[in-house]
Amino acid sequence: VIIDIDARKKAEEALAASNKRLAEQSLLDGLTGIANRRRFDETLTREYRRHARGGALLSLVILDIDHFKAFNDRYGHLQGDACLRRVAGVLRQNAARAGDLVARYGGEEFACILAETDAPTAAALAERLRQAVADLDIPHEASPTACRVTVSCGTATARCLPGGSPLDLLARADAQLYRAKAAGRDQASAERCPA
């Protein structure tokens, strides 16, 4: 009887560990190893609600690799995957505070949730991220912007309030991303003051 209980307990522990690994893997991007879109969405909603309890500031940076389709066309998808992994790694290194989250938002787009971060600090981080990607010095001969891989960044900050929506913050950061692209790419654009 004791042996049966021991075996059953070990099997239950193994199953629990396996379920935990599966749950963690379901929230990670398989290519880059950083958070995936699902985890990003869940974290943004949770952090917005948490920040709303005290009216705290929450910032968001959205980044897009400039002319990534041209990169894939020129160098192939294996090199494109390697590029995505390197960019994800440098983003993770530079947005590494305990409350921050770096995620692959989709395709060649990444996002960083910056807990309790004001607009100037978020803008400075976006510029640091842009420069860190440029410093990787990954060749990109097909880019009309630069001879290396670059990113465009959009940043927004919100004072979170009960009844507010994290989707508003996301839309504002996205608008800043498109502003950076329209201004020539390889730059960070930030709102002047939080909403």
Side-chain angles (χ1 to χ4, degrees):
V1 173
I2 292 173
I3 293 172
D4 285 345
I5 292 172
D6 258 2
R8 182 176 177 173
K9 184 170 171 94
K10 286 180 183 177
E12 287 173 354
E13 289 171 352
L15 181 61
S18 178
N19 286 338
K20 183 178 179 185
R21 277 193 307 276
L22 282 173
E24 289 170 355
Q25 289 174 351
S26 75
L27 298 174
L28 292 179
D29 177 63
L31 177 65
T32 62
I34 62 174
N36 63 14
R37 174 68 182 268
R38 178 179 170 193
R39 182 164 177 211
F40 170 82
D41 290 340
E42 291 173 358
T43 301
L44 182 60
T45 298
R46 184 180 63 249
E47 285 299 304
Y48 191 93
R49 286 183 189 144
R50 184 177 72 83
H51 283 65
R53 287 195 293 266
L57 293 173
L58 180 65
S59 291
L60 185 60
V61 179
I62 298 181
L63 306 93
D64 190 61
I65 298 176
D66 296 323
H67 310 290
F68 190 68
K69 182 184 181 318
F71 184 92
N72 271 339
D73 291 346
R74 176 71 175 244
Y75 300 103
H77 290 284
L78 290 178
Q79 288 300 316
D81 289 350
C83 175
L84 290 169
R85 283 191 291 271
R86 290 186 67 194
V87 169
V90 81
L91 298 180
R92 184 176 35 227
Q93 288 172 347
N94 284 278
R97 295 178 317 157
D100 297 344
L101 178 80
V102 176
R104 185 169 176 203
Y105 191 71
E108 69 275 8
E109 203 166 35
F110 298 87
C112 303
I113 298 171
L114 308 173
E116 299 179 17
T117 302
D118 63 19
T121 303
L125 176 65
E127 178 55 30
R128 191 166 72 239
L129 295 173
R130 188 203 63 77
Q131 187 60 55
V133 171
D135 289 347
L136 288 172
D137 204 26
I138 301 169
H140 190 348
E141 295 172 3
S143 172
T145 301
C147 59
R148 66 180 186 275
V149 169
T150 59
V151 293
S152 297
C153 309
T155 304
T157 301
R159 183 162 305 283
C160 301
L161 300 170
S165 172
L167 297 179
D168 294 335
L169 177 61
L170 184 59
R172 291 183 10 242
D174 197 49
Q176 291 302 313
L177 170 62
Y178 281 94
R179 185 174 176 206
K181 288 180 175 186
R185 300 180 191 247
D186 189 22
Q187 56 189 282
S189 177
E191 295 177 321
R192 296 193 189 278
C193 57

